[in-house]
Amino acid sequence: MSVAPEQQPAPPPARPARVLDLALRVAGGVVAVWAGVLAAVLDLLFATWAWEVVKGRPGGAVKAVVGTSLAVGGIAAVVMLTILVGWFAHVAVGMRWAAALPALPWFLVIVAGGIRTAEGDLALSGDNVLGLGLVVAGAITFAVLGFRQLVVPPNAAH
């Protein structure tokens, strides 16, 4: 009867390596939070600009084509940007809950975009159908990323 040789567990990394790893993970988390803020600001800017472009067009087929093109392109861009930011957060922090780091500030900025300022400015109005579609696409994408990170076993995620 043969017995496989017992493998020795790898020694824990040296203290400076652990400190450096922790510092890099914290820095990655901070970058992920700011990436979430930037993504939300870009989403709001695009939604406002695109809606003004659509409203400024004369009616008919041209308005429909421009509106549809901006909606499809904008939603695809929001989904891709959200996936990229969520992926970066997960890789940089290395934790399953890391997708929440960019998602929380993203939601806060989006909500703030729907609140009228003292001057009367409003980044995301209720009649901006394109903007509402972009917000829904981003929210659903963040929800799917977070759910996927929590459900997929840790070994399968890498």
Side-chain angles (χ1 to χ4, degrees):
M1 162 155 80
S2 68
V3 175
E6 195 174 305
Q7 294 197 3
Q8 298 296 326
R15 181 155 174 84
R18 286 188 299 186
V19 170
L20 179 62
D21 181 58
L22 179 62
L24 287 174
R25 288 174 188 259
V26 169
V30 169
V31 170
V33 167
W34 281 107
V37 170
L38 180 63
V41 169
L42 290 174
D43 293 348
L44 287 174
L45 288 173
F46 178 79
T48 304
W49 170 80
W51 188 244
E52 291 301 319
V53 168
V54 170
K55 286 191 335 187
R57 295 278 178 205
V62 173
K63 187 173 187 173
V65 168
V66 169
T68 303
S69 300
L70 287 173
V72 170
I75 289 173
V78 165
V79 168
M80 293 307 296
L81 181 62
T82 304
I83 289 171
L84 181 65
V85 169
W87 170 82
F88 172 79
H90 178 69
V91 170
V93 176
M95 300 288 186
R96 298 176 83 173
W97 52 265
L101 289 174
L104 292 175
W106 185 88
F107 282 113
L108 291 175
V109 171
I110 293 297
V111 167
I115 298 173
R116 190 171 301 279
T117 65
E119 295 83 21
D121 298 333
L122 188 62
L124 188 61
S125 61
D127 69 338
N128 185 342
V129 178
L130 178 60
L132 297 176
L134 295 175
V135 168
V136 169
I140 289 173
T141 305
F142 268 126
V144 168
L145 285 173
F147 182 74
R148 185 177 176 276
Q149 288 302 323
L150 292 175
V151 172
V152 173
N155 293 340
H158 293 123

